[in-house]
């Protein structure tokens, strides 16, 4: 008898039916939404959760003593615990911080932890896969603090080249890296890198923006010290993100933004910051959005994160095979060759056609892809391109979407053939 | 929905396939100005030779971009050669007007003296867009207007640098 447990699967057509926007027929035809790496669509349950909040318990949190204010506060704190569970946070009630998005979460780490721990002679280690959100905050801080920034280089297929990692790690205080590239889909060996960074005395800050929506996350197994992600890429609304950090680190860090809600006391002489997590949540939080994100996580867990990953591996494998077969060397797909080493993100380059023009033709068929540098200009430089056209998959995409992409690419090739 | 033919007119594709005035000029004496489209990553370089009669005597275009930005740059380079700065600015105003970007004056100084205003009005009246008319369809694709105007904004910046230097 086999002990291997079969992964749950789900019916993509039924999933698609849960998303109002995906029912739309655009001018170019039924929508083929292939831009979830930028932002995902939202299921009805997420939209309803936010509407219900506004219709029944809308009130500011952590302040009022009346019934609905208490209900709103309880809903927010329940969301915090739920989000923590979703990523395997050991102490969600203190370690899960709500932010505006992953960008703000990463800025918080750079400003608050970096601002009080980095100086001349220190080193911050990044990878060449990073999104600008995990680059620019470090540059901004570097201008003030004068530390060194190093980069883990890439192999030809856009995986991390760890050949000289020991040398690179020498003197490093923090390694800040992505779990999954938003351009090439490259999955990085987070647990292995974290172990080696810790052995070298460095902390690890994970940009989990692309990984948390698409595969199961277990922070304890990964071993990282901080993890940042956005709600809107995982079926949740815009305007809410998460930073998870180890309690001891967060305790020792100064507040990031100042204002209401983050203080224990304020006098004419100064202030005393509040305890975690309030210390890092100045101002009224995005309550409706946090409640919407809670519903999104419930929806994802009902499908099963392992089933989601399996679905994306099989769809990515189908796409890699279909596109390579049809277009051969005319089409370059950046990143790792195998579907198991990457997320469902395909950065495409069609010979002789600029990504902007390619995407324009695709739009004529309601195939929504993203042209541009994807906020990863250093990576584009390493790949040797100015821009790519990126197609990315999620739970509601199927082989029809890939076929529509392929047909539209063929038309673009035909239109621009010289 | 506007079709691809509205955007990609034959003359645009011709300039994209065979761009005019590609290359570099020795700088100095030429000015070298970089333009970026931060949304799509396109980069353009405009090299400009402007003589002491304020005439564009030579222009070269470098960089990479989509068919719209590249063809616009190519047509622009052909259109501005041997024109005075006043004429080039008038042409730029007319082109941007066609792109639905209306600017009363491209000069940074708020007030033009009467003589300059007269020269500007005269130049505006004399503008012929010619081949550039082919880019009119871009207006129907608002996201692409930035592609079409990238070269022109870079050109204006180059003119500013050239006139400041002289």
């Amino acid at each position: 008898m086999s002990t291997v447990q079969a992964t749950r699967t789900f019916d993509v057509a039924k999933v698609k039916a849960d998303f109002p926007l995906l029912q739309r027929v655009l001018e170019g035809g039924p929508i083929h939404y292939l831009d979830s790496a930028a932002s995902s669509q939202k299921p009805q349950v997420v939209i309803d959760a936010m509407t219900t909040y506004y219709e029944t318990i809308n009130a500011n949190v952590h302040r009022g003593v009346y019934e609905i204010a208490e209900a709103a506060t309880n809903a927010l704190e329940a969301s915090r615990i739920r989000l923590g569970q979703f990523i395997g946070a050991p102490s969600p009630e203190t370690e899960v911080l709500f932010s505006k998005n992953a960008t703000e979460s990463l800025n918080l780490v750079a400003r608050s932890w970096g601002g009080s721990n980095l100086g001349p002679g220190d080193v911050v280690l990044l990878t060449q896969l990073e999104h600008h959100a995990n680059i620019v905050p470090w540059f901004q801080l570097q201008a003030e603090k004068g530390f060194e920034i190093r980069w883990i280089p890439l192999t030809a297929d856009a995986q991390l080249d760890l050949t000289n990692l020991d040398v690179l790690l020498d003197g490093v205080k923090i390694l800040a890296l992505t779990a999954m590239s938003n351009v090439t889909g490259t999955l990085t060996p987070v647990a292995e890198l974290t172990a080696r960074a810790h052995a070298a005395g460095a902390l690890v800050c994970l940009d989990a923006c692309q990984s948390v929506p698409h595969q199961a996350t277990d922070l304890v197994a990964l071993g990282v010290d901080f993890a940042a992600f956005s709600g809107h890429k995982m079926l949740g609304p815009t305007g809410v993100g998460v930073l998870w950090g180890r309690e001891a680190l967060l305790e020792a860090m100064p507040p990031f933004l100042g204002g209401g809600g983050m203080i224990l006391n304020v006098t004419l002489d100064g202030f005393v910051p509040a305890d975690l997590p309030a210390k890092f949540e100045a101002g009224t939080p995005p309550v409706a959005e946090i409640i919407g994100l809670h519903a999104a996580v419930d929806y994802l867990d009902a499908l099963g994160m392992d089933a989601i990953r399996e679905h994306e591996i099989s769809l990515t494998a189908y796409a890699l095979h279909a596109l390579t077969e049809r277009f051969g060397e005319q089409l370059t797909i950046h990143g790792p060759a195998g579907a198991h080493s990457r997320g469902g993100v395909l950065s495409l380059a069609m010979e002789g056609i600029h990504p902007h023009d390619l995407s324009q033709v695709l739009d004529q068929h309601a195939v929504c892809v993203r042209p541009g540098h994807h906020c990863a200009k250093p990576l584009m430089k390493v790949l040797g391109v100015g821009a790519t056209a990126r197609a990315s998959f999620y739970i509601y995409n199927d082989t029809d979407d890939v076929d529509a992409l392929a047909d539209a690419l063929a038309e673009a090739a035909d239109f621009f053939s010289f | 929905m506007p079709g691809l033919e509205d955007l990609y007119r034959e003359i645009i594709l011709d300039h994209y396939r065979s761009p005019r005035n590609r290359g570099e000029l020795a700088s100095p004496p030429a000015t070298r100005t970089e333009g970026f489209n931060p949304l799509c990553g396109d980069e353009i370089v405009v090299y400009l030779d402007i003589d002491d009669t304020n005439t564009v005597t030579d222009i070269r275009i470098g960089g990479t971009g989509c068919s719209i930005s590249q063809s616009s740059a190519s047509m622009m380079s052909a259109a501005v050669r041997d024109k005075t700065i006043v004429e080039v600015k008038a042409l730029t105003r007319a082109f941007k007007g066609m792109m639905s970007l209306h600017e009363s004056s491209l000069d940074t100084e708020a007030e033009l003296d009467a003589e300059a205003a007269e020269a500007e009005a005269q130049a505006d009246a004399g503008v012929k867009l010619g081949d550039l008319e082919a880019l009119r369809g871009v207006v129907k694709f608002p996201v692409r207007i930035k592609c079409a105007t990238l070269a022109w904004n870079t050109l204006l910046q180059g003119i500013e640098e050239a006139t400041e230097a002289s």
Side-chain angles (χ1 to χ4, degrees):
Chain A
M1 197 174 80
S2 168
T3 53
V4 177
Q5 216 180 344
T7 308
R8 272 189 294 168
T9 55
F10 53 85
D11 181 347
V12 178
K14 272 170 84 176
V15 167
K16 210 166 196 165
D18 290 335
F19 290 73
L21 191 139
L22 298 178
Q23 311 314 310
R24 285 199 61 190
V25 176
L26 306 181
E27 287 179 59
I31 188 166
H32 297 286
Y33 187 75
L34 296 174
D35 198 20
S36 295
S39 197
S40 72
Q41 295 303 335
K42 325 301 174 196
Q44 190 67 54
V45 287
V46 167
I47 299 165
D48 288 349
M50 292 192 289
T51 306
T52 303
Y53 160 75
Y54 281 124
E55 289 177 349
T56 59
I57 57 167
N58 175 49
N60 211 329
V61 289
H62 303 133
R63 288 163 179 80
V65 293
Y66 46 91
E67 184 182 327
I68 58 169
E70 197 180 315
T73 304
N74 290 343
L76 185 147
E77 291 307 323
S79 303
R80 192 187 306 280
I81 304 296
R82 184 70 184 86
L83 261 293
Q85 268 176 1
F86 186 68
I87 54 174
S91 313
E93 62 283 355
T94 51
E95 294 182 335
V96 172
L97 312 178
F98 288 114
S99 63
K100 190 170 67 183
N101 45 37
T103 295
E104 187 179 85
S105 298
L106 292 167
N107 273 272
L108 191 162
V109 175
R111 283 283 145 187
S112 176
W113 182 85
S116 47
N117 286 282
L118 295 174
D122 291 329
V123 180
V124 171
L125 182 59
L126 306 176
T127 86
Q128 291 183 341
L129 288 173
E130 299 313 308
H131 185 282
H132 294 165
N134 197 26
I135 297 174
V136 179
W138 300 108
F139 274 137
Q140 288 178 296
L141 190 66
Q142 183 189 39
E144 285 172 31
K145 301 287 181 180
F147 50 84
E148 182 191 347
I149 293 177
R150 282 185 207 146
W151 303 85
I152 299 180
L154 304 182
T155 59
D157 63 344
Q159 311 221 41
L160 296 184
D161 179 353
L162 304 180
T163 318
N164 294 318
L165 186 64
D166 288 333
V167 177
L168 287 170
L169 273 171
D170 185 44
V172 168
K173 274 207 158 171
I174 192 166
L175 162 64
L177 84 159
T178 182
M180 183 194 292
S181 163
N182 68 314
V183 176
T184 58
T186 308
L187 291 163
T188 61
V190 177
E192 179 197 340
L193 278 166
T194 301
R196 291 182 66 178
H198 283 171
L203 296 182
V204 175
C205 173
L206 189 68
D207 174 359
C209 222
Q210 297 291 337
S211 63
V212 165
H214 300 280
Q215 61 183 27
T217 301
D218 181 348
L219 290 172
V220 173
L222 292 175
V224 298
D225 302 289
F226 298 103
F229 55 98
S230 289
H232 71 98
K233 293 189 201 290
M234 51 191 288
L235 311 184
T238 53
V240 59
V242 169
L243 174 67
W244 171 85
R246 287 188 192 281
E247 189 176 299
L249 291 168
L250 295 174
E251 286 283 6
M253 285 155 56
F256 173 47
L257 301 175
M262 52 70 72
I263 53 92
L264 191 64
N265 190 25
V266 181
T267 66
L268 291 176
D269 299 316
F271 76 98
V272 181
D275 291 333
L276 293 173
K279 179 168 112 176
F280 290 105
E281 293 181 351
T284 298
V287 185
E289 287 77 6
I290 289 169
I291 289 168
L293 183 54
H294 184 161
V297 163
D298 285 346
Y299 186 94
L300 288 170
D301 265 345
L303 294 181
M305 291 310 293
D306 289 336
I308 290 171
R309 175 68 185 139
E310 282 302 318
H311 165 70
E312 291 182 18
I313 288 174
S314 83
L315 191 57
T316 303
Y318 175 83
L320 289 170
H321 179 75
L323 295 175
T324 308
E325 184 133 292
R326 187 150 171 189
F327 298 103
E329 295 197 342
Q330 194 183 7
L331 184 74
T332 301
I333 303 173
H334 295 284
H340 284 271
S341 351
R342 61 189 300 159
V345 178
L346 305 183
S347 259
L348 308 172
M350 185 74 96
E351 201 182 337
I353 310 178
H354 189 277
H356 230 141
D357 294 319
L358 197 59
S359 304
Q360 192 82 57
V361 178
L362 267 48
D363 177 54
Q364 299 284 316
H365 300 281
V367 175
C368 309
V369 302
R370 164 69 59 98
H373 53 62
H374 316 298
C375 297
K377 286 195 87 171
L379 173 57
M380 304 309 279
K381 184 124 189 163
V382 173
L383 295 176
V385 294
T388 67
R390 181 187 67 185
S392 51
F393 308 132
Y394 207 8
I395 51 176
Y396 34 67
N397 293 119
D398 54 20
T399 52
D400 281 353
D401 294 320
V402 176
D403 294 342
L405 169 69
D407 289 345
L409 286 171
E411 189 188 310
D414 188 44
F415 187 85
F416 283 98
S417 65
F418 299 157
Chain B
M1 183 181 210
L4 290 178
E5 303 70 29
D6 292 311
L7 184 62
Y8 298 114
R9 304 275 302 278
E10 193 48 47
I11 194 162
I12 292 177
L13 294 176
D14 173 59
H15 276 264
Y16 181 46
R17 288 163 199 160
S18 322
R20 323 294 197 260
N21 300 307
R22 282 289 296 186
E24 300 178 5
L25 293 173
S27 168
T31 56
R32 179 186 185 281
T33 311
E34 291 180 354
F36 297 92
N37 183 340
L39 294 176
C40 62
D42 286 357
E43 300 180 7
I44 200 163
V45 188
V46 174
Y47 297 86
L48 266 185
D49 266 336
I50 295 177
D51 70 7
D52 46 19
T53 67
N54 277 340
T55 301
V56 175
T57 52
D58 209 352
I59 180 168
R60 289 287 187 281
I61 306 290
T64 57
C66 67
S67 62
I68 301 302
S69 75
Q70 293 293 293
S71 64
S72 182
S74 172
M75 289 188 227
M76 177 190 84
S77 70
V80 302
R81 189 191 284 273
D82 298 326
K83 286 207 163 56
T84 66
I85 289 177
V86 171
E87 289 167 336
V88 169
K89 286 184 176 176
L91 183 65
T92 306
R93 263 195 303 280
F95 181 77
K96 287 190 157 190
M98 187 172 79
M99 293 292 118
S100 301
L101 303 169
H102 296 286
E103 293 167 37
S104 56
S105 172
L106 295 166
D107 281 290
T108 43
E109 290 89 339
E111 298 280 323
L112 288 174
D113 62 39
E115 200 179 323
E118 171 66 26
E120 190 175 90
Q122 222 170 14
D124 281 341
V127 167
K128 288 192 180 58
L129 282 166
D131 285 357
L132 289 162
E133 288 277 359
L135 285 162
R136 190 177 288 280
V138 173
V139 175
K140 295 179 194 157
F141 300 82
V143 178
R144 305 301 293 276
I145 291 175
K146 277 199 163 67
C147 308
T149 54
L150 176 62
W152 296 84
N153 289 327
T154 312
L155 172 72
L156 283 181
Q157 207 185 320
I159 288 176
E160 220 163 274
E161 284 164 24
T163 45
E164 268 167 24
S166 64

